[in-house]
Amino acid sequence: TYQNILKNTTISEEQKSIATNEINSINSIKNAIMICENLLTIKGFDKNVVLVNSESVNIVVKAEKDLTKEQIAQIQNIVSRELNTKIENIHITEKNEG
């Protein structure tokens, strides 16, 4: 939709600027999610998904056993840093094997 706004010759420059800012914002979030998922994989959480909405970040990680406090803190640190969100807005769900 934003790309169509940029291509439309009848749209004002102000509206095109807003569309460009929205595209940049979406791309920044997508990049931060990818970085989080890659860093979590490097830290040993091989299967993980990071989901972001306007109010919170949800992380699902595959674990053979319950996550330790240290592992939870590690996940929170990565996500908080990369997505610039408060730890209280980060929700971690474990998907246990079996």
Side-chain angles (χ1 to χ4, degrees):
T1 301
Y2 292 124
Q3 292 292 349
N4 289 337
I5 290 172
L6 295 178
K7 293 176 187 175
N8 190 328
T9 57
T10 63
I11 300 290
S12 73
E13 287 304 314
E14 182 180 351
Q15 289 171 318
K16 288 183 179 186
S17 177
I18 292 169
T20 299
N21 289 339
E22 288 297 320
I23 290 169
N24 290 339
S25 176
I26 290 167
N27 285 334
S28 291
I29 292 170
K30 283 174 53 178
N31 288 337
I33 290 170
M34 184 179 62
I35 290 168
C36 284
E37 290 175 342
N38 288 336
L39 288 172
L40 290 172
T41 298
I42 289 168
K43 294 295 184 180
F45 305 102
D46 295 332
K47 296 186 180 183
N48 65 77
V49 178
V50 177
L51 306 165
V52 178
N53 66 37
S54 61
E55 297 177 15
S56 64
V57 179
N58 295 288
I59 300 97
V60 180
V61 295
K62 189 171 185 180
E64 292 181 20
K65 54 186 177 182
D66 290 343
L67 296 173
T68 65
K69 289 181 182 180
E70 292 80 15
Q71 289 172 315
I72 292 169
Q74 192 174 41
I75 293 168
Q76 290 173 327
N77 182 39
I78 290 169
V79 173
S80 175
R81 182 181 66 238
E82 296 303 326
L83 287 166
N84 195 28
T85 190
K86 295 179 181 178
I87 289 178
E88 59 264 20
N89 295 333
I90 299 170
H91 309 283
I92 302 168
T93 302
E94 301 168 40
K95 173 73 172 137
N96 293 321
E97 292 184 349

Short mmCIF file of all heavy atoms in Angstrom, two decimals, residues 27-96:
data_model
loop_
_atom_site.label_atom_id
_atom_site.label_comp_id
_atom_site.label_asym_id
_atom_site.label_seq_id
_atom_site.Cartn_x
_atom_site.Cartn_y
_atom_site.Cartn_z
N ASN A 27 10.70 -1.57 7.89
CA ASN A 27 11.97 -2.22 7.57
C ASN A 27 12.90 -2.28 8.79
O ASN A 27 13.58 -3.28 9.00
CB ASN A 27 12.66 -1.53 6.40
CG ASN A 27 12.00 -1.87 5.08
OD1 ASN A 27 11.38 -2.91 4.92
ND2 ASN A 27 12.12 -0.96 4.12
N SER A 28 12.90 -1.24 9.61
CA SER A 28 13.73 -1.24 10.81
C SER A 28 13.28 -2.33 11.79
O SER A 28 14.11 -3.04 12.37
CB SER A 28 13.66 0.12 11.51
OG SER A 28 14.29 1.09 10.73
N ILE A 29 11.97 -2.47 11.95
CA ILE A 29 11.45 -3.50 12.85
C ILE A 29 11.76 -4.89 12.30
O ILE A 29 12.19 -5.78 13.04
CB ILE A 29 9.94 -3.31 13.07
CG1 ILE A 29 9.69 -2.03 13.87
CG2 ILE A 29 9.33 -4.52 13.79
CD1 ILE A 29 8.24 -1.61 13.95
N LYS A 30 11.59 -5.08 11.00
CA LYS A 30 11.90 -6.37 10.39
C LYS A 30 13.37 -6.73 10.59
O LYS A 30 13.70 -7.87 10.91
CB LYS A 30 11.56 -6.35 8.89
CG LYS A 30 10.09 -6.47 8.58
CD LYS A 30 9.78 -6.30 7.11
CE LYS A 30 10.57 -7.19 6.21
NZ LYS A 30 10.23 -7.05 4.80
N ASN A 31 14.25 -5.76 10.41
CA ASN A 31 15.69 -6.00 10.60
C ASN A 31 16.01 -6.33 12.05
O ASN A 31 16.81 -7.23 12.34
CB ASN A 31 16.51 -4.80 10.14
CG ASN A 31 16.55 -4.65 8.64
OD1 ASN A 31 16.35 -5.61 7.90
ND2 ASN A 31 16.77 -3.45 8.17
N ALA A 32 15.39 -5.62 13.00
CA ALA A 32 15.63 -5.88 14.41
C ALA A 32 15.14 -7.27 14.80
O ALA A 32 15.80 -7.98 15.58
CB ALA A 32 14.95 -4.81 15.27
N ILE A 33 14.00 -7.69 14.26
CA ILE A 33 13.49 -9.04 14.53
C ILE A 33 14.47 -10.08 14.00
O ILE A 33 14.78 -11.06 14.69
CB ILE A 33 12.08 -9.22 13.91
CG1 ILE A 33 11.06 -8.39 14.67
CG2 ILE A 33 11.69 -10.70 13.89
CD1 ILE A 33 9.70 -8.31 13.99
N MET A 34 14.96 -9.88 12.79
CA MET A 34 15.91 -10.82 12.21
C MET A 34 17.18 -10.90 13.05
O MET A 34 17.70 -11.99 13.29
CB MET A 34 16.25 -10.41 10.77
CG MET A 34 17.16 -11.38 10.05
SD MET A 34 17.52 -10.89 8.34
CE MET A 34 18.34 -9.33 8.61
N ILE A 35 17.67 -9.77 13.51
CA ILE A 35 18.87 -9.76 14.36
C ILE A 35 18.60 -10.51 15.65
O ILE A 35 19.42 -11.32 16.09
CB ILE A 35 19.32 -8.30 14.62
CG1 ILE A 35 19.89 -7.70 13.34
CG2 ILE A 35 20.35 -8.25 15.75
CD1 ILE A 35 20.11 -6.19 13.40
N CYS A 36 17.44 -10.26 16.28
CA CYS A 36 17.08 -10.98 17.52
C CYS A 36 17.07 -12.49 17.30
O CYS A 36 17.66 -13.24 18.07
CB CYS A 36 15.71 -10.55 18.02
SG CYS A 36 15.66 -8.95 18.81
N GLU A 37 16.40 -12.92 16.24
CA GLU A 37 16.30 -14.35 15.97
C GLU A 37 17.68 -14.95 15.72
O GLU A 37 17.99 -16.04 16.22
CB GLU A 37 15.36 -14.61 14.79
CG GLU A 37 13.91 -14.33 15.12
CD GLU A 37 12.95 -14.45 13.96
OE1 GLU A 37 13.39 -14.41 12.80
OE2 GLU A 37 11.74 -14.55 14.23
N ASN A 38 18.53 -14.25 14.99
CA ASN A 38 19.89 -14.75 14.74
C ASN A 38 20.73 -14.80 16.02
O ASN A 38 21.45 -15.78 16.25
CB ASN A 38 20.59 -13.90 13.67
CG ASN A 38 20.03 -14.14 12.28
OD1 ASN A 38 19.47 -15.19 12.00
ND2 ASN A 38 20.18 -13.16 11.42
N LEU A 39 20.64 -13.77 16.84
CA LEU A 39 21.40 -13.76 18.09
C LEU A 39 20.91 -14.86 19.04
O LEU A 39 21.71 -15.51 19.70
CB LEU A 39 21.30 -12.40 18.77
CG LEU A 39 22.09 -11.27 18.10
CD1 LEU A 39 21.76 -9.93 18.75
CD2 LEU A 39 23.58 -11.55 18.16
N LEU A 40 19.60 -15.07 19.09
CA LEU A 40 19.07 -16.15 19.93
C LEU A 40 19.55 -17.51 19.44
O LEU A 40 19.90 -18.38 20.24
CB LEU A 40 17.54 -16.10 19.96
CG LEU A 40 16.94 -14.92 20.72
CD1 LEU A 40 15.43 -14.85 20.51
CD2 LEU A 40 17.28 -14.98 22.19
N THR A 41 19.61 -17.68 18.12
CA THR A 41 20.13 -18.93 17.56
C THR A 41 21.59 -19.13 17.94
O THR A 41 21.99 -20.21 18.36
CB THR A 41 19.95 -18.94 16.03
OG1 THR A 41 18.56 -18.86 15.73
CG2 THR A 41 20.53 -20.21 15.42
N ILE A 42 22.38 -18.07 17.83
CA ILE A 42 23.80 -18.14 18.20
C ILE A 42 23.97 -18.51 19.67
O ILE A 42 24.88 -19.24 20.03
CB ILE A 42 24.49 -16.80 17.88
CG1 ILE A 42 24.63 -16.63 16.36
CG2 ILE A 42 25.86 -16.71 18.55
CD1 ILE A 42 25.04 -15.23 15.93
N LYS A 43 23.06 -18.04 20.52
CA LYS A 43 23.14 -18.31 21.95
C LYS A 43 22.59 -19.68 22.32
O LYS A 43 22.53 -20.03 23.49
CB LYS A 43 22.40 -17.22 22.75
CG LYS A 43 23.05 -15.86 22.65
CD LYS A 43 24.41 -15.86 23.29
CE LYS A 43 25.02 -14.47 23.28
NZ LYS A 43 26.33 -14.44 23.90
N GLY A 44 22.19 -20.47 21.32
CA GLY A 44 21.77 -21.84 21.59
C GLY A 44 20.28 -22.10 21.54
O GLY A 44 19.83 -23.21 21.77
N PHE A 45 19.50 -21.07 21.24
CA PHE A 45 18.06 -21.25 21.09
C PHE A 45 17.77 -21.44 19.60
O PHE A 45 17.34 -20.53 18.90
CB PHE A 45 17.32 -20.04 21.66
CG PHE A 45 17.68 -19.74 23.09
CD1 PHE A 45 18.54 -18.72 23.40
CD2 PHE A 45 17.17 -20.53 24.11
CE1 PHE A 45 18.89 -18.44 24.72
CE2 PHE A 45 17.52 -20.27 25.43
CZ PHE A 45 18.38 -19.22 25.73
N ASP A 46 18.06 -22.68 19.14
CA ASP A 46 18.06 -22.96 17.71
C ASP A 46 16.74 -22.66 17.01
O ASP A 46 16.73 -22.19 15.88
CB ASP A 46 18.42 -24.43 17.46
CG ASP A 46 19.85 -24.73 17.90
OD1 ASP A 46 20.68 -23.81 17.87
OD2 ASP A 46 20.11 -25.88 18.27
N LYS A 47 15.65 -22.95 17.67
CA LYS A 47 14.35 -22.71 17.06
C LYS A 47 13.63 -21.65 17.87
O LYS A 47 13.24 -21.88 19.01
CB LYS A 47 13.55 -24.00 16.98
CG LYS A 47 14.21 -25.02 16.08
CD LYS A 47 13.36 -26.23 15.88
CE LYS A 47 14.12 -27.19 14.95
NZ LYS A 47 13.33 -28.36 14.65
N ASN A 48 13.46 -20.48 17.27
CA ASN A 48 12.82 -19.38 17.97
C ASN A 48 12.04 -18.52 16.98
O ASN A 48 12.34 -18.52 15.79
CB ASN A 48 13.86 -18.54 18.71
CG ASN A 48 14.81 -17.85 17.76
OD1 ASN A 48 14.46 -16.84 17.14
ND2 ASN A 48 16.02 -18.38 17.62
N VAL A 49 11.05 -17.84 17.51
CA VAL A 49 10.26 -16.90 16.71
C VAL A 49 10.06 -15.66 17.55
O VAL A 49 9.73 -15.75 18.74
CB VAL A 49 8.88 -17.50 16.33
CG1 VAL A 49 8.05 -16.50 15.55
CG2 VAL A 49 9.04 -18.78 15.54
N VAL A 50 10.24 -14.51 16.94
CA VAL A 50 10.03 -13.24 17.62
C VAL A 50 8.86 -12.54 16.94
O VAL A 50 8.86 -12.33 15.73
CB VAL A 50 11.29 -12.34 17.56
CG1 VAL A 50 11.02 -10.99 18.21
CG2 VAL A 50 12.48 -13.04 18.22
N LEU A 51 7.83 -12.22 17.74
CA LEU A 51 6.63 -11.55 17.23
C LEU A 51 6.50 -10.21 17.93
O LEU A 51 6.55 -10.13 19.15
CB LEU A 51 5.40 -12.41 17.50
CG LEU A 51 5.47 -13.85 16.99
CD1 LEU A 51 4.39 -14.70 17.61
CD2 LEU A 51 5.38 -13.87 15.48
N VAL A 52 6.30 -9.16 17.13
CA VAL A 52 6.22 -7.81 17.68
C VAL A 52 4.87 -7.20 17.35
O VAL A 52 4.40 -7.28 16.20
CB VAL A 52 7.34 -6.93 17.07
CG1 VAL A 52 7.24 -5.50 17.59
CG2 VAL A 52 8.72 -7.51 17.37
N ASN A 53 4.25 -6.62 18.37
CA ASN A 53 3.07 -5.79 18.10
C ASN A 53 3.29 -4.45 18.77
O ASN A 53 4.36 -4.20 19.33
CB ASN A 53 1.77 -6.49 18.53
CG ASN A 53 1.66 -6.69 20.02
OD1 ASN A 53 2.08 -5.86 20.80
ND2 ASN A 53 1.10 -7.81 20.43
N SER A 54 2.33 -3.60 18.75
CA SER A 54 2.53 -2.23 19.23
C SER A 54 2.84 -2.15 20.72
O SER A 54 3.46 -1.19 21.16
CB SER A 54 1.31 -1.38 18.90
OG SER A 54 0.16 -1.91 19.55
N GLU A 55 2.41 -3.14 21.50
CA GLU A 55 2.58 -3.04 22.94
C GLU A 55 3.55 -4.04 23.55
O GLU A 55 4.00 -3.86 24.67
CB GLU A 55 1.22 -3.20 23.62
CG GLU A 55 0.26 -2.09 23.24
CD GLU A 55 -1.10 -2.28 23.87
OE1 GLU A 55 -1.24 -3.09 24.80
OE2 GLU A 55 -2.04 -1.61 23.41
N SER A 56 3.84 -5.12 22.84
CA SER A 56 4.68 -6.15 23.46
C SER A 56 5.46 -6.93 22.42
O SER A 56 5.21 -6.83 21.22
CB SER A 56 3.83 -7.11 24.29
OG SER A 56 2.94 -7.81 23.46
N VAL A 57 6.42 -7.70 22.93
CA VAL A 57 7.21 -8.60 22.10
C VAL A 57 7.03 -10.00 22.67
O VAL A 57 7.20 -10.22 23.87
CB VAL A 57 8.71 -8.21 22.12
CG1 VAL A 57 9.52 -9.18 21.27
CG2 VAL A 57 8.90 -6.78 21.64
N ASN A 58 6.65 -10.93 21.83
CA ASN A 58 6.48 -12.31 22.23
C ASN A 58 7.56 -13.15 21.57
O ASN A 58 7.80 -13.02 20.37
CB ASN A 58 5.10 -12.83 21.81
CG ASN A 58 4.00 -12.09 22.53
OD1 ASN A 58 3.80 -12.29 23.72
ND2 ASN A 58 3.31 -11.21 21.83
N ILE A 59 8.20 -13.99 22.38
CA ILE A 59 9.25 -14.87 21.88
C ILE A 59 8.85 -16.29 22.20
O ILE A 59 8.48 -16.60 23.33
CB ILE A 59 10.61 -14.56 22.53
CG1 ILE A 59 11.05 -13.13 22.25
CG2 ILE A 59 11.69 -15.50 22.01
CD1 ILE A 59 10.72 -12.21 23.34
N VAL A 60 8.92 -17.14 21.20
CA VAL A 60 8.70 -18.57 21.40
C VAL A 60 10.02 -19.26 21.12
O VAL A 60 10.62 -19.05 20.07
CB VAL A 60 7.60 -19.11 20.46
CG1 VAL A 60 7.39 -20.60 20.69
CG2 VAL A 60 6.29 -18.35 20.64
N VAL A 61 10.50 -20.05 22.09
CA VAL A 61 11.75 -20.78 21.92
C VAL A 61 11.50 -22.26 22.18
O VAL A 61 10.70 -22.62 23.04
CB VAL A 61 12.88 -20.27 22.84
CG1 VAL A 61 13.27 -18.86 22.50
CG2 VAL A 61 12.50 -20.37 24.29
N LYS A 62 12.16 -23.08 21.42
CA LYS A 62 12.09 -24.51 21.63
C LYS A 62 13.13 -24.88 22.68
O LYS A 62 14.28 -24.47 22.60
CB LYS A 62 12.36 -25.26 20.33
CG LYS A 62 12.10 -26.74 20.42
CD LYS A 62 12.17 -27.38 19.06
CE LYS A 62 11.80 -28.85 19.15
NZ LYS A 62 11.86 -29.50 17.85
N ALA A 63 12.68 -25.64 23.68
CA ALA A 63 13.59 -26.01 24.77
C ALA A 63 13.38 -27.47 25.15
O ALA A 63 12.26 -27.97 25.13
CB ALA A 63 13.33 -25.12 25.98
N GLU A 64 14.48 -28.13 25.46
CA GLU A 64 14.39 -29.52 25.89
C GLU A 64 13.87 -29.61 27.32
O GLU A 64 13.27 -30.59 27.71
CB GLU A 64 15.76 -30.19 25.78
CG GLU A 64 16.22 -30.36 24.35
CD GLU A 64 17.57 -31.06 24.25
OE1 GLU A 64 17.96 -31.73 25.22
OE2 GLU A 64 18.21 -30.92 23.21
N LYS A 65 14.15 -28.58 28.12
CA LYS A 65 13.67 -28.51 29.49
C LYS A 65 13.35 -27.06 29.80
O LYS A 65 13.60 -26.17 28.98
CB LYS A 65 14.71 -29.07 30.46
CG LYS A 65 16.07 -28.43 30.33
CD LYS A 65 17.10 -29.11 31.20
CE LYS A 65 18.46 -28.47 30.98
NZ LYS A 65 19.50 -29.10 31.73
N ASP A 66 12.77 -26.80 30.97
CA ASP A 66 12.41 -25.44 31.33
C ASP A 66 13.63 -24.53 31.28
O ASP A 66 14.74 -24.92 31.65
CB ASP A 66 11.82 -25.41 32.75
CG ASP A 66 10.45 -26.07 32.82
OD1 ASP A 66 9.82 -26.26 31.76
OD2 ASP A 66 10.02 -26.39 33.94
N LEU A 67 13.39 -23.31 30.82
CA LEU A 67 14.47 -22.33 30.75
C LEU A 67 14.92 -21.92 32.14
O LEU A 67 14.10 -21.79 33.06
CB LEU A 67 14.01 -21.09 29.99
CG LEU A 67 13.65 -21.27 28.52
CD1 LEU A 67 13.05 -19.98 27.96
CD2 LEU A 67 14.86 -21.69 27.70
N THR A 68 16.21 -21.72 32.30
CA THR A 68 16.75 -21.24 33.57
C THR A 68 16.55 -19.73 33.67
O THR A 68 16.28 -19.05 32.65
CB THR A 68 18.25 -21.55 33.70
OG1 THR A 68 18.95 -20.81 32.69
CG2 THR A 68 18.52 -23.05 33.54
N LYS A 69 16.71 -19.19 34.86
CA LYS A 69 16.62 -17.74 35.04
C LYS A 69 17.66 -17.02 34.20
O LYS A 69 17.41 -15.96 33.65
CB LYS A 69 16.78 -17.37 36.52
CG LYS A 69 15.61 -17.77 37.38
CD LYS A 69 15.82 -17.37 38.82
CE LYS A 69 14.64 -17.82 39.66
NZ LYS A 69 14.79 -17.47 41.07
N GLU A 70 18.85 -17.63 34.09
CA GLU A 70 19.93 -17.03 33.29
C GLU A 70 19.55 -17.00 31.81
O GLU A 70 19.82 -16.01 31.12
CB GLU A 70 21.23 -17.80 33.49
CG GLU A 70 21.84 -17.67 34.87
CD GLU A 70 21.19 -18.57 35.93
OE1 GLU A 70 20.45 -19.52 35.56
OE2 GLU A 70 21.40 -18.32 37.12
N GLN A 71 18.95 -18.08 31.32
CA GLN A 71 18.54 -18.12 29.91
C GLN A 71 17.44 -17.09 29.63
O GLN A 71 17.47 -16.40 28.61
CB GLN A 71 18.05 -19.52 29.53
CG GLN A 71 19.16 -20.54 29.45
CD GLN A 71 18.62 -21.95 29.26
OE1 GLN A 71 17.68 -22.37 29.93
NE2 GLN A 71 19.23 -22.67 28.32
N ILE A 72 16.50 -16.98 30.54
CA ILE A 72 15.43 -15.99 30.39
C ILE A 72 16.02 -14.58 30.36
O ILE A 72 15.66 -13.76 29.51
CB ILE A 72 14.37 -16.14 31.51
CG1 ILE A 72 13.62 -17.46 31.32
CG2 ILE A 72 13.43 -14.95 31.54
CD1 ILE A 72 12.74 -17.85 32.49
N ALA A 73 16.95 -14.30 31.27
CA ALA A 73 17.60 -12.99 31.30
C ALA A 73 18.37 -12.72 30.02
O ALA A 73 18.36 -11.60 29.50
CB ALA A 73 18.53 -12.89 32.51
N GLN A 74 19.01 -13.74 29.49
CA GLN A 74 19.77 -13.61 28.24
C GLN A 74 18.83 -13.26 27.08
O GLN A 74 19.12 -12.35 26.29
CB GLN A 74 20.49 -14.92 27.97
CG GLN A 74 21.53 -14.87 26.90
CD GLN A 74 22.29 -16.19 26.81
OE1 GLN A 74 21.69 -17.26 26.91
NE2 GLN A 74 23.59 -16.10 26.62
N ILE A 75 17.70 -13.95 26.99
CA ILE A 75 16.71 -13.67 25.95
C ILE A 75 16.18 -12.26 26.11
O ILE A 75 16.12 -11.49 25.14
CB ILE A 75 15.57 -14.70 25.99
CG1 ILE A 75 16.09 -16.09 25.59
CG2 ILE A 75 14.42 -14.27 25.07
CD1 ILE A 75 15.11 -17.22 25.87
N GLN A 76 15.81 -11.88 27.33
CA GLN A 76 15.28 -10.54 27.58
C GLN A 76 16.29 -9.46 27.21
O GLN A 76 15.93 -8.44 26.63
CB GLN A 76 14.88 -10.39 29.05
CG GLN A 76 13.66 -11.19 29.43
CD GLN A 76 13.39 -11.15 30.92
OE1 GLN A 76 14.32 -11.10 31.72
NE2 GLN A 76 12.12 -11.21 31.29
N ASN A 77 17.55 -9.69 27.53
CA ASN A 77 18.60 -8.72 27.23
C ASN A 77 18.73 -8.49 25.73
O ASN A 77 18.79 -7.36 25.26
CB ASN A 77 19.93 -9.18 27.84
CG ASN A 77 21.03 -8.18 27.61
OD1 ASN A 77 20.82 -6.98 27.69
ND2 ASN A 77 22.21 -8.68 27.31
N ILE A 78 18.77 -9.58 24.98
CA ILE A 78 18.91 -9.48 23.52
C ILE A 78 17.73 -8.73 22.93
O ILE A 78 17.89 -7.78 22.15
CB ILE A 78 19.05 -10.88 22.88
CG1 ILE A 78 20.41 -11.49 23.24
CG2 ILE A 78 18.86 -10.81 21.36
CD1 ILE A 78 20.54 -12.97 22.89
N VAL A 79 16.53 -9.15 23.30
CA VAL A 79 15.33 -8.56 22.72
C VAL A 79 15.16 -7.10 23.15
O VAL A 79 14.83 -6.24 22.32
CB VAL A 79 14.09 -9.40 23.10
CG1 VAL A 79 12.81 -8.73 22.64
CG2 VAL A 79 14.20 -10.80 22.49
N SER A 80 15.41 -6.83 24.41
CA SER A 80 15.30 -5.45 24.90
C SER A 80 16.24 -4.52 24.16
O SER A 80 15.86 -3.42 23.74
CB SER A 80 15.60 -5.43 26.40
OG SER A 80 15.62 -4.11 26.88
N ARG A 81 17.47 -4.97 23.98
CA ARG A 81 18.49 -4.16 23.32
C ARG A 81 18.16 -3.94 21.84
O ARG A 81 18.19 -2.82 21.34
CB ARG A 81 19.85 -4.82 23.48
CG ARG A 81 21.00 -4.04 22.86
CD ARG A 81 22.33 -4.76 23.02
NE ARG A 81 22.35 -5.99 22.27
CZ ARG A 81 22.57 -7.20 22.78
NH1 ARG A 81 22.78 -7.35 24.06
NH2 ARG A 81 22.58 -8.26 22.01
N GLU A 82 17.85 -5.01 21.13
CA GLU A 82 17.67 -4.91 19.68
C GLU A 82 16.35 -4.26 19.27
O GLU A 82 16.27 -3.60 18.25
CB GLU A 82 17.79 -6.29 19.03
CG GLU A 82 19.16 -6.94 19.18
CD GLU A 82 20.29 -6.10 18.61
OE1 GLU A 82 20.10 -5.39 17.60
OE2 GLU A 82 21.39 -6.14 19.19
N LEU A 83 15.30 -4.46 20.07
CA LEU A 83 14.00 -3.90 19.73
C LEU A 83 13.65 -2.67 20.56
O LEU A 83 12.56 -2.12 20.45
CB LEU A 83 12.90 -4.96 19.88
CG LEU A 83 12.93 -6.01 18.78
CD1 LEU A 83 12.07 -7.20 19.14
CD2 LEU A 83 12.49 -5.41 17.46
N ASN A 84 14.62 -2.25 21.40
CA ASN A 84 14.44 -1.04 22.21
C ASN A 84 13.10 -1.06 22.95
O ASN A 84 12.30 -0.14 22.85
CB ASN A 84 14.56 0.21 21.33
CG ASN A 84 14.75 1.46 22.15
OD1 ASN A 84 15.30 1.41 23.23
ND2 ASN A 84 14.28 2.58 21.63
N THR A 85 12.89 -2.16 23.68
CA THR A 85 11.65 -2.30 24.45
C THR A 85 11.97 -2.61 25.90
O THR A 85 13.07 -3.09 26.22
CB THR A 85 10.76 -3.41 23.83
OG1 THR A 85 9.49 -3.37 24.43
CG2 THR A 85 11.37 -4.78 23.98
N LYS A 86 11.04 -2.33 26.77
CA LYS A 86 11.23 -2.60 28.19
C LYS A 86 11.06 -4.09 28.46
O LYS A 86 10.24 -4.76 27.82
CB LYS A 86 10.21 -1.82 29.01
CG LYS A 86 10.41 -0.32 28.91
CD LYS A 86 9.37 0.40 29.72
CE LYS A 86 9.56 1.91 29.58
NZ LYS A 86 8.52 2.64 30.31
N ILE A 87 11.80 -4.58 29.43
CA ILE A 87 11.76 -6.00 29.77
C ILE A 87 10.36 -6.45 30.17
O ILE A 87 9.94 -7.55 29.82
CB ILE A 87 12.80 -6.33 30.86
CG1 ILE A 87 14.20 -6.24 30.24
CG2 ILE A 87 12.56 -7.70 31.48
CD1 ILE A 87 15.33 -6.50 31.16
N GLU A 88 9.60 -5.60 30.83
CA GLU A 88 8.25 -5.99 31.24
C GLU A 88 7.30 -6.18 30.05
O GLU A 88 6.23 -6.76 30.20
CB GLU A 88 7.66 -5.01 32.26
CG GLU A 88 7.55 -3.59 31.78
CD GLU A 88 8.72 -2.71 32.20
OE1 GLU A 88 9.80 -3.23 32.55
OE2 GLU A 88 8.54 -1.48 32.17
N ASN A 89 7.70 -5.72 28.88
CA ASN A 89 6.89 -5.91 27.67
C ASN A 89 7.31 -7.13 26.86
O ASN A 89 6.80 -7.35 25.77
CB ASN A 89 6.94 -4.66 26.79
CG ASN A 89 6.31 -3.46 27.47
OD1 ASN A 89 5.43 -3.61 28.31
ND2 ASN A 89 6.76 -2.28 27.13
N ILE A 90 8.26 -7.90 27.39
CA ILE A 90 8.77 -9.08 26.70
C ILE A 90 8.16 -10.32 27.34
O ILE A 90 8.22 -10.50 28.55
CB ILE A 90 10.31 -9.15 26.78
CG1 ILE A 90 10.92 -7.92 26.11
CG2 ILE A 90 10.83 -10.43 26.16
CD1 ILE A 90 12.41 -7.76 26.34
N HIS A 91 7.54 -11.16 26.51
CA HIS A 91 6.88 -12.36 26.98
C HIS A 91 7.50 -13.57 26.29
O HIS A 91 7.54 -13.63 25.06
CB HIS A 91 5.38 -12.30 26.71
CG HIS A 91 4.78 -11.02 27.22
ND1 HIS A 91 4.51 -10.80 28.56
CD2 HIS A 91 4.42 -9.88 26.57
CE1 HIS A 91 4.01 -9.59 28.71
NE2 HIS A 91 3.95 -9.01 27.52
N ILE A 92 7.99 -14.50 27.09
CA ILE A 92 8.69 -15.68 26.56
C ILE A 92 7.84 -16.92 26.77
O ILE A 92 7.35 -17.16 27.88
CB ILE A 92 10.06 -15.86 27.25
CG1 ILE A 92 10.91 -14.60 27.04
CG2 ILE A 92 10.77 -17.11 26.72
CD1 ILE A 92 12.15 -14.55 27.89
N THR A 93 7.66 -17.68 25.71
CA THR A 93 6.94 -18.94 25.78
C THR A 93 7.89 -20.05 25.38
O THR A 93 8.59 -19.94 24.38
CB THR A 93 5.73 -18.94 24.82
OG1 THR A 93 4.88 -17.86 25.17
CG2 THR A 93 4.96 -20.25 24.91
N GLU A 94 7.89 -21.11 26.17
CA GLU A 94 8.73 -22.28 25.88
C GLU A 94 7.91 -23.31 25.15
O GLU A 94 6.81 -23.63 25.56
CB GLU A 94 9.27 -22.88 27.18
CG GLU A 94 10.08 -21.94 28.01
CD GLU A 94 10.33 -22.50 29.39
OE1 GLU A 94 10.58 -23.71 29.52
OE2 GLU A 94 10.29 -21.71 30.35
N LYS A 95 8.45 -23.82 24.09
CA LYS A 95 7.84 -24.94 23.38
C LYS A 95 8.71 -26.14 23.67
O LYS A 95 9.79 -26.30 23.11
CB LYS A 95 7.77 -24.65 21.87
CG LYS A 95 7.31 -25.78 21.01
CD LYS A 95 5.84 -26.00 21.18
CE LYS A 95 5.38 -27.02 20.15
NZ LYS A 95 4.49 -28.00 20.66
N ASN A 96 8.30 -26.96 24.62
CA ASN A 96 9.10 -28.12 25.02
C ASN A 96 8.99 -29.23 23.99
O ASN A 96 7.93 -29.43 23.39
CB ASN A 96 8.65 -28.63 26.40
CG ASN A 96 8.97 -27.63 27.49
OD1 ASN A 96 10.00 -27.00 27.49
ND2 ASN A 96 8.05 -27.48 28.42
#
